[in-house]
Structures are given as C-alpha cells and as structure tokens.
Amino acid sequence: MRRLNLDQLHTFSEVVDAGSFSAAAARLDLSQPAVSLQVRQLEQRLNVRLIERVGKRLKPTSAGLTLLEHARRIDGAVEDAMQALTSHASDVAGEVAIGTGATACIHLLPPILRAMRKRHPMLDIRVSTGNTDDVVAAVTENRLDIGLVTLPAAGRSLHITPVLRDEFVAIAPAGDRGWAAEVTPQRLAAAPMVAFASGSSTRLLIDEWFLQAGLRVRPVMALGSIEAIKEMVAAGLGYSIVPRMSVGAAHYRRGLRISTLTPELSRTLAIVVRQDKPLAPGLRKVMSALEALNNAA
C-alpha cells in the first residue's frame, strides 16, 4: 500500500469535524470540488468508504472512524514536528561542529562559547582540536562545519577568512633575571629551546623566523601541548616561543617571564568553511562571533 497523503488525511478530518464539504472548504480556504476530490482520492487509495451522508450531515463510516482516530494522532505529530522545525528556522538551534587548535580552544574560545550558550541555549556547539591540516581536511570532508586554523591553509572547495593576528612572545622561567625584555633570534639560539612538535604550523612559523636570521635551532624538547611547554619552561628546562594569547591571563603566565621578539613574529588565525556549506542560523551566529575577533583584536 502506498503511503498516506497528509493533505488528504487532514482534509478528511476537517470534513468530519465540519460536517460538510462546503464548511470544510471554507476552513481550508479551498474550493468544494477540491475538498471532495481529496476525500475521494483518499478513499480510492485505502479502498474503503470513509464518509456517508446521514440526513443533511456527513458522518464517518466505521472505517472512517478508525482512520479518524489515527488521523488526529498523525495531525498532532505533524504539528509537533512543525513546531520543532520552527525553532530552527526562527531561533538559533541545532548543532555546529567547530575544529581548532588546542591554543585557541583553551585561550580564545571559552568566552565566545559562554556568550553563545547564554544567548542561544538551544544551540549545541561541539569543539574538537587538531592541527591545521587535520581541521582543514575535516571541514573539506564535511565532518566539521567550520574551522578556526592558523594560516597558511588551502583548499579549492573552501572559503578562508582571516580574522585575528596573534603576536608571538618568548617565555623564560620567572627566576631568570638575566632574561631581557626584548630578545632576538641570536639571543634565543644560544639557549635551550622547548619547542612545539615538529610539523605543526606554529613550529614551521618559528623555524622560518630563525631561518630568516640565518639560524637553525635544535630544541632540547618538542611537545605537542602548549600547556606542557609552559610547565617545562617554568621548571627551568629552557625557553620557548608561544602565541601571546596563551599567556594573556595572569594565571596562564604564572612562573614565566615574557619578552617581545625582535624582529616581530605573528600568526594569522582564519575561519575555514566549505564554499557550498548551507549557512543555517546557528552556523551564521558562530561565524559572526568568530569574525568579531577581528574587531576585538
């Protein structure tokens, strides 16, 4: 048996409730022939008679009464579904999956996510971390809705929007009184370095900074976690170069001495999203919040 037509089912219910085709037509803003046709088509589809005339009023047959019981439940379920979808269309709801680096996840996203949750409690934002290549691949394959990554990033199917410039700083143990407020590649190359893991976009930028000065550094440690790097430096095991956002708050720079770099070194964070990605209201709100980082910087 073919599936029921919801319009025909609703029209049948209205005819029974109204007691006539003409009254149902007025309720539905349809012509009487259109209403009669829908009921007739439903009867043909089910191969039973659903309505009979008793005097001047229409009444459901036994089969009609059975169908009416189901029709009202179906009508209620359809109404519930429409109400649920209305919240997606008129409000901000649903799920948005973001991918970003660990540093941005720890030091940049929390206040943004807190504000989004307060304004849009029905919006479920999921965050996962990875390096730029992993996040770009996940966005390209539509496993993530949006990425916030360190440039350079590339993808023919992606729209890439730079949103934030983040300066790098050098960090040393707080007790190292001989550490200058401003340091050069030559000064740093002579000290033990605790570096980011090889192959990360941040490590590549830092290596290039040294190469521009004709220097190559050989780190004493290479770690994948910026928080682990800071702990090693605070313990006196070397120095490092980290994004300024990672030491912006006082509790994140405890045990550390911060120095600016000469020449300056910075990275750019960018939004990546598929060019053909449907921009649901929730995704638009997340994109707007991330784009606002440009104005807040």
Side-chain angles (χ1 to χ4, degrees):
M1 182 183 294
R2 292 159 57 193
R3 292 184 180 275
L4 291 173
N5 181 295
L6 293 179
D7 287 336
Q8 293 173 358
L9 198 60
H10 181 65
T11 297
F12 161 70
S13 298
E14 288 292 330
V15 170
V16 173
D17 287 343
S20 72
F21 288 106
S22 57
R27 287 185 182 185
L28 296 169
D29 196 23
L30 294 172
S31 67
Q32 182 174 330
V35 169
S36 299
L37 176 62
Q38 286 196 31
V39 174
R40 187 163 62 252
Q41 287 174 334
L42 183 61
E43 289 178 327
Q44 290 171 351
R45 182 183 297 265
L46 298 174
N47 197 31
V48 293
R49 190 175 179 186
L50 298 172
I51 291 177
E52 60 185 0
R53 185 176 294 278
V54 178
K56 294 183 178 180
R57 188 173 176 85
L58 300 180
K59 296 284 186 180
T61 63
S62 176
L65 284 171
T66 300
L67 179 60
L68 189 63
E69 182 181 340
H70 290 286
R72 284 171 175 159
R73 289 203 302 268
I74 292 169
D75 225 20
V78 170
E79 183 63 26
D80 289 344
M82 296 302 293
Q83 287 294 330
L85 290 175
T86 297
S87 70
H88 285 261
S90 61
D91 196 2
V92 179
E95 181 179 313
V96 176
I98 303 176
T100 190
T103 304
C105 182
I106 295 170
H107 300 283
L108 191 63
L109 287 186
I112 295 173
L113 297 178
R114 183 173 60 247
M116 292 292 290
R117 176 171 291 181
K118 185 176 181 180
R119 292 173 192 159
H120 309 294
M122 295 179 65
L123 181 61
D124 183 13
I125 302 177
R126 308 288 179 91
V127 182
S128 58
T129 60
N131 60 38
T132 291
D133 290 344
D134 291 340
V135 172
V136 166
V139 172
T140 301
E141 296 166 10
N142 210 32
R143 289 183 283 113
L144 289 173
D145 298 308
I146 188 171
L148 181 65
V149 301
T150 301
L151 295 181
R156 287 185 299 176
S157 65
L158 300 177
H159 184 68
I160 300 173
T161 307
V163 292
L164 180 66
R165 178 179 169 276
D166 185 27
E167 178 190 8
F168 282 89
V169 295
I171 58 173
D176 189 344
R177 302 301 176 186
W179 195 259
E182 189 174 291
V183 292
T184 64
Q186 291 77 16
R187 168 70 177 85
L188 296 177
M193 180 181 183
V194 181
F196 284 89
S198 180
S200 67
S201 56
T202 299
R203 173 67 181 277
L204 292 172
L205 287 171
I206 294 170
D207 286 349
E208 180 62 25
W209 184 75
F210 279 108
L211 287 173
Q212 290 292 327
L215 299 169
R216 287 183 181 273
V217 292
R218 300 184 66 179
V220 294
M221 295 184 194
L223 304 174
S225 163
I226 195 167
E227 300 309 308
I229 288 172
K230 293 189 313 188
E231 288 296 325
M232 294 297 180
V233 172
L237 300 176
Y239 80 92
S240 191
I241 297 175
V242 298
R244 184 178 287 279
M245 75 165 64
S246 69
V247 290
H251 61 283
Y252 282 124
R253 57 177 179 267
R254 189 175 297 115
L256 300 173
R257 182 179 292 269
I258 314 298
S259 302
T260 58
L261 300 178
T262 301
E264 184 184 84
L265 173 64
S266 65
R267 64 176 183 166
T268 300
L269 299 182
I271 295 171
V272 292
V273 65
R274 283 180 61 101
Q275 293 178 0
D276 60 354
K277 184 72 177 178
L279 297 182
L283 181 54
R284 281 201 196 95
K285 290 293 184 182
V286 171
M287 289 183 67
S288 296
L290 295 177
E291 288 167 353
L293 291 170
N294 206 359
N295 300 325

